[in-house]
Amino acid sequence: MRPSLILAADPRPASQSTAAEDTPLLREGSLVVKRKALCSIVGERLQLRFEDPERTLLALENLAAQRIMQFLLQDDSDNRWLVDGTITVYRDRNFLLLNHITRDSH
């Protein structure tokens, strides 16, 4: 099965988008399935950077995000993960609720 990030863009025209990024919003409930992410800690939040298509999302706080952050605090060079999750929208910005995580073997 090919990894996928469902890119269901918000139907609003780009001129009406107030998202922090220049990329269109993903629809609430869109799925992220077996996607490689480079993870980092930004403030007290987990940030995930996807390469294809290029997109950066903040993870919502839950146990999966906490586990990745714990590994990053021990060794921030081991930052590659395979993630599954659900896209959410809040204040014209996308977030990711992590459902399943595994370390990426590179």
Side-chain angles (χ1 to χ4, degrees), residues 11 33-34 38 59 61-62 70 77 80 82-83 90 93:
V33 181
K34 294 184 182 176
L38 293 177
E61 290 81 359
N62 68 358
Q70 287 172 337
S77 67
R80 296 176 184 268
L82 286 175
V83 300
Y90 178 72
R93 187 169 179 183

Side-chain angles (χ1 to χ4, degrees), residues 46-104:
L46 176 64
Q47 179 176 277
L48 301 108
R49 185 168 53 93
F50 300 96
E51 292 181 7
D52 184 29
E54 188 175 324
R55 181 173 291 271
T56 301
L57 297 171
L58 289 176
L60 294 176
E61 290 81 359
N62 68 358
L63 185 57
Q66 178 181 322
R67 288 182 176 158
I68 292 175
M69 289 179 73
Q70 287 172 337
F71 279 103
L72 290 173
L73 289 170
Q74 292 172 11
D75 181 6
D76 65 353
S77 67
D78 189 12
N79 63 351
R80 296 176 184 268
W81 291 80
L82 286 175
V83 300
D84 293 352
T86 305
I87 297 292
T88 65
V89 180
Y90 178 72
R91 292 189 168 185
D92 292 324
R93 187 169 179 183
N94 284 131
F95 295 87
L96 182 63
L97 177 60
L98 294 168
N99 299 325
H100 185 260
I101 59 170
T102 55
R103 283 184 151 176
D104 184 13

Side-chain angles (χ1 to χ4, degrees), residues 32-48:
V32 173
V33 181
K34 294 184 182 176
R35 294 292 302 167
K36 292 183 180 187
L38 293 177
C39 300
S40 60
I41 298 173
V42 176
E44 294 186 17
R45 308 286 305 263
L46 176 64
Q47 179 176 277
L48 301 108

Side-chain angles (χ1 to χ4, degrees), residues 13-26:
S15 62
Q16 293 180 9
S17 177
T18 59
E21 301 176 16
D22 289 335
T23 55
L25 285 175
L26 300 174

